[in-house]
Amino acid sequence: MSTKEKIVQNAAKLFLTKGYKQTSLNEIAEKTGITKGGIYHHFKDKNELFVEMAEYFKSKFSSLLTKMEQESSLEDLLKNYFENSEIVMQEIAEYLELTLKDIKHFSEFQSRFTLDAIQYGPEDMDFTMHTKSMYSLLKKKIELAKKNGEILEDIDTKEISLEIIAIIEGYSNLRRLKLMDDSYEYGNKCFERLWNRIKK
């Protein structure tokens, strides 16, 4: 791993666990084992470093959309979504070298990152793009499932797409708020009930 990558890795971990405002360049430099000047060799300021981290997260979320797009059927997309989501989160956790204790609070870190991204991210970076892209993808998958006779033809594509996103968002909130011990299993059961309602 290059010095620049190591800086981003350590900065990301601190931004997630402490927050953007509470993290200093001195802390990032110390954790990386370089001087503060070493950071300025690669990044002009803390904000540019945060944007670099945000781009990494966007790329990981894009990989989840790619997995969804590659599913051969709507049924498989629903069955595999939460497993694929967990895989992406595990990849992020491994990249950041998070401890088991940190991983338990990962959903909280995601919420902190989202709030920081809105406040400190660049104006031209659309942090809602992931959800918008997922919505478009789901509509296409649902229309294709209708055409292939996989689901009922009178299903409202927009309504079901929004319902799927609502389940995903609800799952994320259950994890963050710790309202349920096994939110992963709950998400799968929600999708199973939805599938049984719309399948042909």
Side-chain angles (χ1 to χ4, degrees), residues 48-136:
E48 186 174 78
L49 185 47
F50 181 82
V51 171
E52 184 86 9
M53 181 197 82
E55 290 291 353
Y56 167 76
F57 279 100
K58 283 182 70 176
S59 72
K60 296 308 293 183
F61 294 140
S62 293
S63 73
L64 179 57
L65 286 175
T66 299
K67 289 176 185 289
M68 292 173 67
E69 194 167 18
Q70 291 172 344
E71 295 290 0
S72 59
S73 67
L74 180 63
E75 182 180 16
D76 285 343
L77 185 155
L78 297 176
K79 281 183 176 179
N80 297 328
Y81 174 81
F82 288 110
E83 182 180 351
N84 288 332
S85 178
E86 290 288 324
I87 289 170
V88 169
M89 283 193 284
Q90 187 60 42
E91 288 173 352
I92 293 172
E94 288 175 4
Y95 167 74
L96 297 176
E97 296 179 357
L98 296 177
T99 65
L100 288 175
K101 181 182 177 183
D102 287 335
I103 291 172
K104 288 180 180 179
H105 297 283
F106 193 78
S107 54
E108 294 173 30
F109 299 161
Q110 285 180 294
S111 298
R112 183 177 292 128
F113 163 71
T114 301
L115 292 173
D116 280 347
I118 292 169
Q119 187 169 357
Y120 304 109
E123 291 181 7
D124 62 346
M125 184 175 280
D126 185 356
F127 291 98
T128 65
M129 188 55 69
H130 173 69
T131 303
K132 291 175 182 175
S133 299
M134 183 182 290
Y135 177 59
S136 297

Side-chain angles (χ1 to χ4, degrees), residues 172-189:
S172 297
N173 283 328
L174 286 173
R175 284 180 61 115
R176 187 175 72 252
L177 300 174
K178 300 180 179 68
L179 292 176
M180 186 171 286
D181 292 335
D182 196 352
S183 53
Y184 175 87
E185 185 61 30
Y186 179 72
N188 280 328
K189 286 180 179 177

Side-chain angles (χ1 to χ4, degrees), residues 148-169:
N148 293 339
E150 192 182 355
I151 61 175
L152 300 171
E153 293 177 11
D154 61 347
I155 290 296
D156 186 313
T157 299
K158 180 180 178 180
E159 185 179 303
I160 296 300
S161 298
L162 291 174
E163 187 173 349
I164 291 170
I165 289 175
I167 290 171
I168 291 169
E169 293 297 326

